[in-house]
């Protein structure tokens, strides 16, 4: 299957910030377990076959900060090759770019292009987040976009950037840049999502707004957002994708609205596990539901699994998702 977009912008829909899979134990003299590219491809192909419009590889969930440059390239190029062999040669891939230096950001972007990613999801530079201002963020992103070999999206995740918030006014200015094609807002300020999604000064066919939370999918998509980049969809792709289909369809019938409300409740409730357990919870869910990966978690300091019995504590929420997934 080939997905063609109307421009160099990513498609609307549900993207998944996929976790990076590792083997169970290191191979001496290595200190940490190596990548499990085979499982990475298996999981990515499963998502592509079940309604997910694209992947974010090496984002925050993908632990790019815990990987070497060689490992990042190995993972990106391996998944691109695996998807092509599975019949998805142009499947959308965003590569996470999680560094503060302009020069290193451009290095990551060049590697991402070479490995087969179409876009870079560029995290706001937050090491000195408390001292950053909107003018400096605008200049930083403009400089990166001017020189990036692939189109970029602005990635605003205050939880890992010392609480940087990109303002709606800054998005309006950045959206005018020909090489900035969207944003991901990983925060709970729904007003920012709606303002940027509906801003008449922005060309929304070119600049796409995504939330990092499936809890917000229905409300923000009904008010102009392009979709979500959602961790729960790594476990239950069909259900989250179905929710998007209902939210984007016009006109909204009473029957469709009722189904959307039912699905949004189930998704929002299940997302509480993702909020609490993050990467460890996503990996546990993939193992429990899809039988992929292992229970070793991520790399230090994220190594490990949920406590015994914790997955079962979420049986009501996950059981509902499982039923929807089978419809």
């Amino acid at each position: 299957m080939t997905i063609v977009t109307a421009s160099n912008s990513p498609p609307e829909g549900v993207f998944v910030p996929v976790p990076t899979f590792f083997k169970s134990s290191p191979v001496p003299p290595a200190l940490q377990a190596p990548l499990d590219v085979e499982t990475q491809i298996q999981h990515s192909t499963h998502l592509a076959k079940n309604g997910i419009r694209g992947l974010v590889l090496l984002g925050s969930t993908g632990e790019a900060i815990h990987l070497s440059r060689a490992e990042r390239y190995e993972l990106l190029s391996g998944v691109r090759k695996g998807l092509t062999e599975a019949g998805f040669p142009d499947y959308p891939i965003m590569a996470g770019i999680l560094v503060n230096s302009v020069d290193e950001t451009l290095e990551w972007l060049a590697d991402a292009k070479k490995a087969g990613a179409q876009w870079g999801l560029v995290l706001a530079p937050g090491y000195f987040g408390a001292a950053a201002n909107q003018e400096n963020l605008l200049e930083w992103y403009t400089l990166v976009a001017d020189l990036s070999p692939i189109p970029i999206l602005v990635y605003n995740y205050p939880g890992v950037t010392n609480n940087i918030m990109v303002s709606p006014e800054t998005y309006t200015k950045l959206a005018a840049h020909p090489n900035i094609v969207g944003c991901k807002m990983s925060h709970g300020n729904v007003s920012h999502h709606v303002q940027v999604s509906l801003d008449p000064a922005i060309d929304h066919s070119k600049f796409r707004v995504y939330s990092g939370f499936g809890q917000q999918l229905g409300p923000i998509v009904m008010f102009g957002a392009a979709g979500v980049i959602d961790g729960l969809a790594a476990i239950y792709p069909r259900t989250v994708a179905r929710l998007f289909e209902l939210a984007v369809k016009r006109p909204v019938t009473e029957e469709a609205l009722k189904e959307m409300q039912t699905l949004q409740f189930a998704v929002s409730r299940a997302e509480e596990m993702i909020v609490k357990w993050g990467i460890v919870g996503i990996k546990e869910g993939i193992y429990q539901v899809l039988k992929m990966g292992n229970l070793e978690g991520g790399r230090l300091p994220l190594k490990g699994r949920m406590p015994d019995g914790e997955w079962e504590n979420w049986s009501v929420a996950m059981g509902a998702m499982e039923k929807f997934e089978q419809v």
Side-chain angles (χ1 to χ4, degrees), residues 141-148 177 179:
Y141 271 111
T142 300
L143 183 56
V144 169
D146 283 346
L147 299 172
S148 175
H177 194 291
N179 210 29

Side-chain angles (χ1 to χ4, degrees), residues 107-149:
E107 180 182 273
W108 281 41
L109 285 162
D111 288 349
K113 179 182 180 180
K114 183 178 178 183
Q118 294 104 314
W119 305 276
L121 183 63
V122 182
L123 186 66
Y127 187 88
F128 291 109
N133 57 48
Q134 297 300 309
E135 292 76 16
N136 288 346
L137 286 175
L138 178 62
E139 184 177 354
W140 190 91
Y141 271 111
T142 300
L143 183 56
V144 169
D146 283 346
L147 299 172
S148 175

Side-chain angles (χ1 to χ4, degrees), residues 161-243:
T161 57
N162 287 305
N163 294 314
I164 278 183
M165 285 292 283
V166 180
S167 73
E169 294 78 14
T170 298
Y171 282 120
T172 303
K173 295 172 183 175
L174 290 173
H177 194 291
N179 210 29
I180 299 179
V181 296
C183 65
K184 177 189 179 186
M185 299 186 195
S186 290
H187 57 69
N189 192 325
V190 175
S191 176
H192 281 203
H193 287 81
V194 173
Q195 288 183 61
V196 181
S197 297
L198 297 178
D199 187 344
I202 293 176
D203 178 359
H204 299 288
S205 68
K206 176 255 184 184
F207 187 87
R208 302 285 168 78
V209 177
Y210 303 89
S211 172
F213 302 117
Q215 302 93 308
Q216 300 171 341
L217 193 161
I220 65 167
V221 168
M222 291 190 75
F223 283 91
V228 293
I229 300 173
D230 176 59
L232 184 67
I235 309 167
Y236 302 109
R238 295 181 64 197
T239 305
V240 182
R242 174 60 180 166
L243 177 55

Side-chain angles (χ1 to χ4, degrees), residues 150-165:
I150 54 178
I152 68 169
L153 292 88
V154 177
Y155 181 18
N156 189 189
Y157 184 6
V160 297
T161 57
N162 287 305
N163 294 314
I164 278 183
M165 285 292 283

Side-chain angles (χ1 to χ4, degrees), residues 76-91:
L76 273 172
S77 60
V79 171
R80 172 56 74 200
K81 181 175 183 291
L83 285 168
T84 298
E85 291 174 350
F88 299 90
D90 299 310
Y91 194 73

